[in-house]
Amino acid sequence: MARALPALLLAILLTPAASLGQEWPEFSKDYHRQVISLLRRLPATRRHAAFILDSRVALEVTDNPTKVDDHVQAVYDMVERRISIDEVRLLEGAEELIDQGAPRALVAEILAWKTLPTIVHEITHAMSHRDQERLLGGRFLFGCLESELLSFYDELLVQHELYKERPDLWRRDKILKIERSYGEMLLSWRRGQGELDAQVRAMYGEAPSLLSAPKEELVAGVARRILVLEGSLAELRGLRREAEGALRRDEVVRRDFQRLAEAIAYTESLLEAKRATRQALADDASRGKLQDRYRAELAKRRGRLEELRGEVR
């Protein structure tokens, strides 16, 4: 097993970069414009719009499986500070809309409405990441249950505004496959805040809780991750040394192994952030700042969701 990890990494690294689909460029410009327009206009997402416009976080559509898997609609990368939206899933949604009879000229706009909750979910992750590092004054990279709860709360808040403004897009016969999970979360919330929280915990059962897990457990979890990263980095560096002769002789191999160098740089950056994270979690004052931030933000969102309860039809 120890040798399997670098072999898998190498296989991923040497997979040719996926090219843009032939159909998506037709929708790309309008989709991005509509997403930004909605973010700026809706009350629940104006903070998200300001963050995207002012921060260095990129918002991109890609079919590159090393950035976002086709089983996931979007993901925030805390190392590269990038939100990647899966092009394959968007195209599936576009095809379904066209099959439903939507005019091709409106597909990008409708997709923006349909996928905005997921985009907001990932932007909230990015905002939480920024706030954590501001609080601590340095790098911090830690995915926790509270971050997922906060992102799902924001997702529900924007769903409410979208449904209220354009109920015609969410008639039973207009629901797309790529958005069915939204409805599941909405139903859980309508049954009660506890139901929603329980569903999120079930989905992210392995995510540590910054508010309830003991300090020793939090630090130990990051320490285990650091050991894995150190082993992976050593393996990757070994592969680079072994390949140096071939790189000098073969131009094609040289270009391919550039991805290996990029993976090493990525892992080095991730390892640096994880070491800083371990130190922050071990410090009672730093951990307390993070806990206070999540308690306040979660309470604020829960209060807003309670205000809206019963309004969604």
Side-chain angles (χ1 to χ4, degrees), residues 111-147:
L111 277 177
W113 283 75
K114 296 283 193 177
T115 59
L116 195 71
T118 293
I119 294 172
V120 166
H121 181 115
E122 300 305 328
I123 295 175
T124 300
H125 278 312
M127 294 167 69
S128 294
H129 185 205
R130 175 204 59 187
D131 291 349
Q132 290 167 350
E133 294 192 330
R134 284 181 175 178
L135 275 174
L136 301 177
R139 296 195 69 186
F140 187 80
L141 199 156
F142 185 72
C144 62
L145 176 63
E146 289 74 22
S147 180

CSV table of all heavy atoms in Angstrom, one decimal, residues 111-147:
chain,number,residue,atom,x,y,z
A,111,LEU,N,-29.6,27.8,-15.8
A,111,LEU,CA,-28.6,27.1,-15.1
A,111,LEU,C,-28.0,27.9,-13.9
A,111,LEU,O,-27.7,27.4,-12.9
A,111,LEU,CB,-27.5,26.6,-16.0
A,111,LEU,CG,-27.7,25.3,-16.8
A,111,LEU,CD1,-26.6,25.1,-17.7
A,111,LEU,CD2,-28.0,24.1,-15.9
A,112,ALA,N,-27.9,29.2,-14.2
A,112,ALA,CA,-27.3,30.0,-13.1
A,112,ALA,C,-28.3,30.0,-11.9
A,112,ALA,O,-27.9,29.9,-10.7
A,112,ALA,CB,-27.2,31.5,-13.6
A,113,TRP,N,-29.6,30.1,-12.1
A,113,TRP,CA,-30.6,30.1,-11.1
A,113,TRP,C,-30.5,28.7,-10.4
A,113,TRP,O,-30.6,28.6,-9.1
A,113,TRP,CB,-32.0,30.3,-11.6
A,113,TRP,CG,-32.3,31.7,-11.9
A,113,TRP,CD1,-31.8,32.5,-13.0
A,113,TRP,CD2,-33.1,32.6,-11.2
A,113,TRP,NE1,-32.3,33.7,-12.9
A,113,TRP,CE2,-33.1,33.9,-11.8
A,113,TRP,CE3,-33.9,32.5,-10.0
A,113,TRP,CZ2,-33.8,35.0,-11.4
A,113,TRP,CZ3,-34.6,33.6,-9.5
A,113,TRP,CH2,-34.5,34.8,-10.2
A,114,LYS,N,-30.4,27.7,-11.2
A,114,LYS,CA,-30.5,26.3,-10.6
A,114,LYS,C,-29.3,25.9,-9.8
A,114,LYS,O,-29.4,25.1,-8.8
A,114,LYS,CB,-30.7,25.3,-11.8
A,114,LYS,CG,-32.0,25.4,-12.6
A,114,LYS,CD,-33.1,24.8,-11.8
A,114,LYS,CE,-34.4,24.7,-12.7
A,114,LYS,NZ,-35.5,24.0,-12.0
A,115,THR,N,-28.1,26.4,-10.1
A,115,THR,CA,-26.9,26.0,-9.5
A,115,THR,C,-26.4,27.1,-8.5
A,115,THR,O,-25.4,26.8,-7.8
A,115,THR,CB,-25.8,25.8,-10.5
A,115,THR,OG1,-25.5,27.0,-11.3
A,115,THR,CG2,-26.1,24.7,-11.5
A,116,LEU,N,-27.0,28.2,-8.4
A,116,LEU,CA,-26.6,29.2,-7.4
A,116,LEU,C,-26.4,28.7,-6.0
A,116,LEU,O,-25.5,29.1,-5.3
A,116,LEU,CB,-27.5,30.5,-7.5
A,116,LEU,CG,-26.8,31.7,-6.9
A,116,LEU,CD1,-25.7,32.2,-7.7
A,116,LEU,CD2,-27.9,32.8,-6.7
A,117,PRO,N,-27.4,27.9,-5.5
A,117,PRO,CA,-27.2,27.5,-4.1
A,117,PRO,C,-25.9,26.7,-3.9
A,117,PRO,O,-25.3,27.0,-2.8
A,117,PRO,CB,-28.4,26.5,-3.9
A,117,PRO,CG,-29.5,27.1,-4.8
A,117,PRO,CD,-28.7,27.5,-6.0
A,118,THR,N,-25.5,25.9,-4.8
A,118,THR,CA,-24.2,25.2,-4.6
A,118,THR,C,-23.1,26.1,-4.7
A,118,THR,O,-22.1,26.0,-3.9
A,118,THR,CB,-24.1,24.1,-5.7
A,118,THR,OG1,-25.0,23.1,-5.5
A,118,THR,CG2,-22.7,23.5,-5.6
A,119,ILE,N,-23.1,27.1,-5.6
A,119,ILE,CA,-22.0,28.1,-5.7
A,119,ILE,C,-21.9,28.9,-4.4
A,119,ILE,O,-20.8,29.1,-3.9
A,119,ILE,CB,-22.3,29.0,-6.9
A,119,ILE,CG1,-22.2,28.2,-8.2
A,119,ILE,CG2,-21.3,30.2,-6.9
A,119,ILE,CD1,-22.6,29.0,-9.4
A,120,VAL,N,-23.1,29.3,-3.8
A,120,VAL,CA,-23.1,30.0,-2.6
A,120,VAL,C,-22.5,29.1,-1.5
A,120,VAL,O,-21.8,29.6,-0.6
A,120,VAL,CB,-24.5,30.5,-2.2
A,120,VAL,CG1,-24.6,30.9,-0.8
A,120,VAL,CG2,-25.0,31.6,-3.2
A,121,HIS,N,-22.8,27.9,-1.5
A,121,HIS,CA,-22.3,26.9,-0.5
A,121,HIS,C,-20.8,27.0,-0.5
A,121,HIS,O,-20.1,27.1,0.6
A,121,HIS,CB,-22.8,25.5,-0.8
A,121,HIS,CG,-22.3,24.4,0.1
A,121,HIS,ND1,-23.2,23.7,0.9
A,121,HIS,CD2,-21.1,23.9,0.4
A,121,HIS,CE1,-22.5,22.9,1.7
A,121,HIS,NE2,-21.2,23.0,1.4
A,122,GLU,N,-20.2,26.9,-1.7
A,122,GLU,CA,-18.7,26.9,-1.8
A,122,GLU,C,-18.1,28.3,-1.5
A,122,GLU,O,-17.0,28.3,-0.9
A,122,GLU,CB,-18.3,26.4,-3.2
A,122,GLU,CG,-18.8,25.0,-3.5
A,122,GLU,CD,-18.3,24.0,-2.5
A,122,GLU,OE1,-17.3,24.1,-1.9
A,122,GLU,OE2,-19.1,23.0,-2.3
A,123,ILE,N,-18.8,29.3,-1.8
A,123,ILE,CA,-18.3,30.7,-1.5
A,123,ILE,C,-18.3,30.8,0.0
A,123,ILE,O,-17.4,31.5,0.6
A,123,ILE,CB,-19.1,31.8,-2.2
A,123,ILE,CG1,-19.0,31.7,-3.7
A,123,ILE,CG2,-18.7,33.1,-1.7
A,123,ILE,CD1,-19.9,32.7,-4.4
A,124,THR,N,-19.3,30.3,0.7
A,124,THR,CA,-19.3,30.4,2.2
A,124,THR,C,-18.1,29.7,2.8
A,124,THR,O,-17.5,30.2,3.7
A,124,THR,CB,-20.6,29.8,2.7
A,124,THR,OG1,-21.7,30.6,2.2
A,124,THR,CG2,-20.7,29.9,4.2
A,125,HIS,N,-17.8,28.5,2.2
A,125,HIS,CA,-16.6,27.8,2.6
A,125,HIS,C,-15.3,28.8,2.5
A,125,HIS,O,-14.5,28.9,3.4
A,125,HIS,CB,-16.3,26.6,1.8
A,125,HIS,CG,-17.1,25.4,2.3
A,125,HIS,ND1,-17.2,25.0,3.7
A,125,HIS,CD2,-17.9,24.5,1.7
A,125,HIS,CE1,-17.9,23.9,3.8
A,125,HIS,NE2,-18.4,23.6,2.6
A,126,ALA,N,-15.3,29.4,1.3
A,126,ALA,CA,-14.1,30.3,1.1
A,126,ALA,C,-14.1,31.5,2.0
A,126,ALA,O,-13.1,31.9,2.5
A,126,ALA,CB,-14.2,30.8,-0.4
A,127,MET,N,-15.3,32.0,2.3
A,127,MET,CA,-15.4,33.1,3.3
A,127,MET,C,-15.0,32.7,4.7
A,127,MET,O,-14.3,33.4,5.4
A,127,MET,CB,-16.8,33.7,3.3
A,127,MET,CG,-17.1,34.4,1.9
A,127,MET,SD,-18.9,34.7,1.8
A,127,MET,CE,-19.1,36.0,3.0
A,128,SER,N,-15.4,31.5,5.1
A,128,SER,CA,-15.0,31.0,6.4
A,128,SER,C,-13.5,30.8,6.5
A,128,SER,O,-12.9,31.1,7.5
A,128,SER,CB,-15.7,29.6,6.6
A,128,SER,OG,-17.1,29.8,6.8
A,129,HIS,N,-12.9,30.3,5.4
A,129,HIS,CA,-11.5,30.1,5.3
A,129,HIS,C,-10.8,31.5,5.5
A,129,HIS,O,-9.8,31.6,6.3
A,129,HIS,CB,-11.1,29.5,4.0
A,129,HIS,CG,-9.7,29.1,3.9
A,129,HIS,ND1,-9.0,29.0,2.6
A,129,HIS,CD2,-8.7,28.9,4.8
A,129,HIS,CE1,-7.8,28.7,2.8
A,129,HIS,NE2,-7.5,28.6,4.1
A,130,ARG,N,-11.2,32.5,4.8
A,130,ARG,CA,-10.6,33.8,4.9
A,130,ARG,C,-10.7,34.3,6.4
A,130,ARG,O,-9.8,34.8,6.9
A,130,ARG,CB,-11.3,34.8,4.0
A,130,ARG,CG,-10.8,36.2,4.1
A,130,ARG,CD,-11.9,37.2,3.6
A,130,ARG,NE,-13.2,37.1,4.3
A,130,ARG,CZ,-14.3,37.7,4.0
A,130,ARG,NH1,-14.3,38.5,3.0
A,130,ARG,NH2,-15.4,37.6,4.7
A,131,ASP,N,-11.9,34.2,6.9
A,131,ASP,CA,-12.2,34.7,8.3
A,131,ASP,C,-11.3,34.0,9.3
A,131,ASP,O,-10.8,34.6,10.3
A,131,ASP,CB,-13.6,34.6,8.7
A,131,ASP,CG,-14.5,35.5,7.9
A,131,ASP,OD1,-14.0,36.4,7.2
A,131,ASP,OD2,-15.8,35.3,7.9
A,132,GLN,N,-11.1,32.7,9.2
A,132,GLN,CA,-10.3,31.9,10.1
A,132,GLN,C,-8.8,32.4,10.0
A,132,GLN,O,-8.2,32.7,11.1
A,132,GLN,CB,-10.3,30.4,9.7
A,132,GLN,CG,-11.6,29.8,10.0
A,132,GLN,CD,-11.7,28.4,9.4
A,132,GLN,OE1,-10.9,28.0,8.5
A,132,GLN,NE2,-12.7,27.6,9.7
A,133,GLU,N,-8.3,32.6,8.9
A,133,GLU,CA,-6.9,33.1,8.7
A,133,GLU,C,-6.8,34.5,9.2
A,133,GLU,O,-5.7,34.9,9.8
A,133,GLU,CB,-6.4,32.9,7.3
A,133,GLU,CG,-6.4,31.5,6.9
A,133,GLU,CD,-5.6,31.2,5.6
A,133,GLU,OE1,-5.7,32.1,4.7
A,133,GLU,OE2,-5.0,30.1,5.4
A,134,ARG,N,-7.8,35.3,9.0
A,134,ARG,CA,-7.7,36.7,9.6
A,134,ARG,C,-7.7,36.7,11.1
A,134,ARG,O,-7.0,37.4,11.8
A,134,ARG,CB,-8.9,37.5,9.1
A,134,ARG,CG,-8.8,38.0,7.6
A,134,ARG,CD,-10.0,38.8,7.2
A,134,ARG,NE,-9.8,39.4,5.9
A,134,ARG,CZ,-10.7,40.1,5.3
A,134,ARG,NH1,-11.9,40.4,5.9
A,134,ARG,NH2,-10.5,40.6,4.1
A,135,LEU,N,-8.5,35.8,11.7
A,135,LEU,CA,-8.6,35.7,13.1
A,135,LEU,C,-7.2,35.3,13.7
A,135,LEU,O,-6.8,35.8,14.8
A,135,LEU,CB,-9.6,34.7,13.6
A,135,LEU,CG,-11.1,35.2,13.7
A,135,LEU,CD1,-12.0,34.0,14.0
A,135,LEU,CD2,-11.2,36.2,14.8
A,136,LEU,N,-6.6,34.4,13.0
A,136,LEU,CA,-5.3,33.8,13.6
A,136,LEU,C,-4.1,34.5,13.1
A,136,LEU,O,-3.0,34.3,13.6
A,136,LEU,CB,-5.3,32.3,13.2
A,136,LEU,CG,-6.4,31.4,13.7
A,136,LEU,CD1,-6.3,30.0,13.1
A,136,LEU,CD2,-6.5,31.4,15.2
A,137,GLY,N,-4.2,35.3,12.1
A,137,GLY,CA,-3.0,36.0,11.5
A,137,GLY,C,-2.1,35.1,10.8
A,137,GLY,O,-0.9,35.4,10.7
A,138,GLY,N,-2.5,34.0,10.2
A,138,GLY,CA,-1.6,33.1,9.5
A,138,GLY,C,-2.4,32.1,8.8
A,138,GLY,O,-3.7,32.0,8.8
A,139,ARG,N,-1.8,31.1,8.2
A,139,ARG,CA,-2.4,30.1,7.4
A,139,ARG,C,-3.2,29.1,8.4
A,139,ARG,O,-2.7,28.8,9.4
A,139,ARG,CB,-1.4,29.3,6.6
A,139,ARG,CG,-0.7,30.1,5.5
A,139,ARG,CD,0.0,29.3,4.5
A,139,ARG,NE,-1.0,28.5,3.7
A,139,ARG,CZ,-0.6,27.6,2.8
A,139,ARG,NH1,0.6,27.3,2.6
A,139,ARG,NH2,-1.5,27.0,2.0
A,140,PHE,N,-4.3,28.7,7.9
A,140,PHE,CA,-5.1,27.7,8.6
A,140,PHE,C,-6.0,27.0,7.6
A,140,PHE,O,-6.7,27.6,6.8
A,140,PHE,CB,-6.0,28.4,9.6
A,140,PHE,CG,-6.8,27.5,10.5
A,140,PHE,CD1,-6.2,27.0,11.7
A,140,PHE,CD2,-8.1,27.2,10.3
A,140,PHE,CE1,-6.9,26.1,12.5
A,140,PHE,CE2,-8.8,26.4,11.1
A,140,PHE,CZ,-8.2,25.8,12.2
A,141,LEU,N,-5.9,25.7,7.7
A,141,LEU,CA,-6.6,24.8,6.7
A,141,LEU,C,-7.2,23.7,7.4
A,141,LEU,O,-6.5,22.7,7.8
A,141,LEU,CB,-5.6,24.4,5.6
A,141,LEU,CG,-6.2,23.9,4.3
A,141,LEU,CD1,-5.2,24.0,3.2
A,141,LEU,CD2,-6.6,22.4,4.4
A,142,PHE,N,-8.5,23.8,7.7
A,142,PHE,CA,-9.2,22.8,8.5
A,142,PHE,C,-10.6,22.7,8.1
A,142,PHE,O,-11.4,23.6,8.3
A,142,PHE,CB,-9.0,23.2,10.0
A,142,PHE,CG,-9.6,22.2,11.0
A,142,PHE,CD1,-8.9,21.0,11.2
A,142,PHE,CD2,-10.7,22.4,11.7
A,142,PHE,CE1,-9.4,20.0,12.1
A,142,PHE,CE2,-11.2,21.5,12.6
A,142,PHE,CZ,-10.6,20.3,12.8
A,143,GLY,N,-11.0,21.6,7.6
A,143,GLY,CA,-12.4,21.3,7.2
A,143,GLY,C,-13.2,20.8,8.4
A,143,GLY,O,-12.8,19.7,9.0
A,144,CYS,N,-14.2,21.4,8.9
A,144,CYS,CA,-14.9,21.0,10.1
A,144,CYS,C,-16.4,20.9,9.9
A,144,CYS,O,-16.9,21.5,8.9
A,144,CYS,CB,-14.6,21.9,11.3
A,144,CYS,SG,-15.1,23.6,11.1
A,145,LEU,N,-17.1,20.2,10.8
A,145,LEU,CA,-18.6,20.1,10.6
A,145,LEU,C,-19.3,21.4,10.6
A,145,LEU,O,-20.2,21.7,9.9
A,145,LEU,CB,-19.1,19.2,11.8
A,145,LEU,CG,-20.6,19.1,11.9
A,145,LEU,CD1,-21.1,18.3,10.7
A,145,LEU,CD2,-21.0,18.3,13.2
A,146,GLU,N,-18.8,22.4,11.5
A,146,GLU,CA,-19.4,23.7,11.6
A,146,GLU,C,-19.3,24.5,10.3
A,146,GLU,O,-20.3,25.2,9.9
A,146,GLU,CB,-18.8,24.5,12.7
A,146,GLU,CG,-19.1,24.0,14.1
A,146,GLU,CD,-18.4,22.7,14.5
A,146,GLU,OE1,-17.3,22.4,13.9
A,146,GLU,OE2,-18.8,21.9,15.4
A,147,SER,N,-18.3,24.3,9.5
A,147,SER,CA,-18.1,24.9,8.2
A,147,SER,C,-19.2,24.4,7.3
A,147,SER,O,-19.8,25.2,6.5
A,147,SER,CB,-16.7,24.8,7.6
A,147,SER,OG,-16.6,25.4,6.4
